[in-house]
Amino acid sequence: MNTAHFRYRRTLLHASSALALGTLGDMAHAQATDKWPEKPVRIIVAGPVGANADVVARALGEQLSKRLKQPFVVDPKPGAAGVIAINDLLQAPPDAYTLLVGVSSLVSEIPHIVKMRYDPRKVITPVAELARGGLVLVTAPDLPARNLKEIIALSKSRPDGLSYASYSPGTMSHVAGLLLAQSTGGRFVHVGYKGSTPGLSDLMGGHIPLMFDGLATSLPLIRTGKIKAIAITSPKRSPFLPDVPTFQELGQPEMTYTGWMGLWSSSTLSAPARETITLHVQAVLDDPIYQTIINNAGFELPSHRSSYAMRQVLLNDYDLIGKALQGTKVGP
């Protein structure tokens, strides 16, 4: 046997052995994740106790506990627009026993606002969409404009335009007003708040005329007539507000946007583990008990998009928001 032939055979044997070991490793990992969970699972929440993310996380955790006979411990970590929660997730072992519930803005919006040591687009991955909802343009009850056309005309007629509130500078609540001004020529002046509650309070009191807000927080006030709903950013009308048109219907397709609450993992979590978790979570999403809790909280039911599809939307939203914020003073 010549030297070249011997080297070829040795290389082939090494490659075959590596492939076999890799296959055995993958099989062992798959068998391990099939048994998930074998101990309690911790769900970090990017938000305070009682807030939307906490409500969704507890609904998910309770149903998973019933199905899988293991505790799912909800652990709220509020602060720094979700950065504290992400840090907590990244410090835990990527073993499917520490997950995170938080809004899509953790990736699409927050990096434009908060200085971070890492890129959320790379370090965390969406596992499943848990709930969704668009933004709604709401007005003070005494604003002399009944629809979007009249609001735009009113903003143009006033030298200083119309002020609008956001629940935080740099978020889609802020960007929505920038997009509306760009597409219509209206004059809209942003006023950033620290959360929906103070913004809605000033809106009800007539201290600010407009606000872009999440439907879950605005809906109770809309239903009681304390504020008025003008249009929503979702691609379809909300089942909670069937008489309120979408921006797309009103000729503003660039205003179409849907935020969502998701279950996230570290990006280093193995694909088999992520797939196992997704399988169990999707079963919960189809449970009428979970769906009732989500609807009662003012959210629409989630889609069954893949992790890849969710990532693509996040990246598109990230670029959209970044472009809209160019020229503003918002930034990390």
Side-chain angles (χ1 to χ4, degrees):
M1 182 183 297
N2 61 42
T3 302
H5 185 69
F6 175 77
R7 287 176 179 170
Y8 172 77
R9 287 193 62 188
R10 185 173 61 182
T11 302
L12 185 61
L13 286 170
H14 285 172
S16 299
S17 298
L19 179 61
L21 288 172
T23 303
L24 288 172
D26 290 344
M27 290 174 62
H29 198 101
Q31 289 171 356
T33 55
D34 283 345
K35 299 177 182 178
W36 181 88
E38 297 182 280
K39 60 182 181 180
V41 178
R42 179 169 165 248
I43 301 178
I44 301 168
V45 177
V49 175
N52 291 330
D54 185 57
V55 171
V56 173
R58 292 182 190 280
L60 176 68
E62 288 173 5
Q63 296 309 311
L64 285 173
S65 293
K66 290 179 182 178
R67 288 180 57 83
L68 301 173
K69 312 303 179 186
Q70 284 286 356
F72 282 74
V73 182
V74 175
D75 187 8
K77 295 289 180 178
V83 176
I84 291 175
I86 295 176
N87 287 341
D88 200 350
L89 175 67
L90 298 179
Q91 290 168 7
D95 58 2
Y97 288 92
T98 305
L99 303 169
L100 183 147
V101 167
V103 290
S104 52
S105 62
L106 291 174
V107 169
S108 61
E109 300 173 22
I110 301 306
H112 294 298
I113 312 164
V114 180
K115 189 173 183 179
M116 307 172 82
R117 303 193 309 270
Y118 46 76
D119 186 343
R121 293 172 295 174
K122 297 179 180 179
V123 297
I124 62 173
T125 298
V127 177
E129 183 183 304
L130 305 176
R132 59 173 28 219
L135 297 177
V136 58
L137 174 60
V138 287
T139 74
D142 58 350
L143 186 72
R146 297 167 297 175
N147 53 50
L148 184 62
K149 184 178 180 180
E150 292 180 2
I151 286 173
I152 294 168
L154 184 61
S155 77
K156 292 179 179 179
S157 70
R158 294 184 177 183
D160 296 329
L162 284 177
S163 297
Y164 74 96
S166 76
Y167 46 70
S168 180
T171 63
M172 195 61 196
S173 177
H174 174 186
V175 170
L178 298 178
L179 294 175
L180 186 62
Q182 291 170 9
S183 63
T184 65
R187 298 189 185 96
F188 298 102
V189 182
H190 173 248
V191 179
Y193 284 78
K194 293 182 178 180
S196 290
T197 301
L200 291 171
S201 178
D202 276 1
L203 188 72
M204 286 187 289
H207 305 299
I208 194 161
L210 306 171
M211 182 172 184
F212 283 94
D213 190 42
L215 193 57
T217 43
S218 287
L219 192 59
L221 301 177
I222 296 170
R223 285 173 170 168
T224 55
K226 294 179 180 178
I227 57 177
K228 296 187 296 184
I230 300 299
I232 61 170
T233 64
S234 300
K236 297 180 180 179
R237 293 196 181 200
S238 168
F240 305 115
L241 296 172
D243 296 329
V244 176
T246 67
F247 279 97
Q248 187 164 315
E249 289 178 64
L250 299 175
Q252 304 296 327
E254 61 283 333
M255 296 289 293
T256 301
Y257 169 83
T258 302
W260 45 274
M261 194 77 67
L263 180 68
W264 307 77
S265 74
S266 164
S267 294
T268 56
L269 182 65
S270 70
R274 195 175 299 118
E275 289 167 4
T276 299
I277 295 168
T278 301
L279 183 67
H280 291 300
V281 170
Q282 295 292 7
V284 169
L285 301 185
D286 293 331
D287 190 307
I289 296 176
Y290 177 84
Q291 294 180 351
T292 299
I293 295 171
I294 294 304
N295 284 159
N296 288 343
F299 287 106
E300 296 176 25
L301 298 180
S303 68
H304 285 261
R305 293 182 295 177
S306 67
S307 178
Y308 175 80
M310 287 186 284
R311 278 188 55 79
Q312 294 307 114
V313 172
L314 287 168
L315 296 177
N316 290 338
D317 287 347
Y318 176 89
D319 290 340
L320 169 71
I321 291 166
K323 289 176 182 178
L325 290 175
Q326 287 178 359
T328 71
K329 296 182 179 180
V330 174

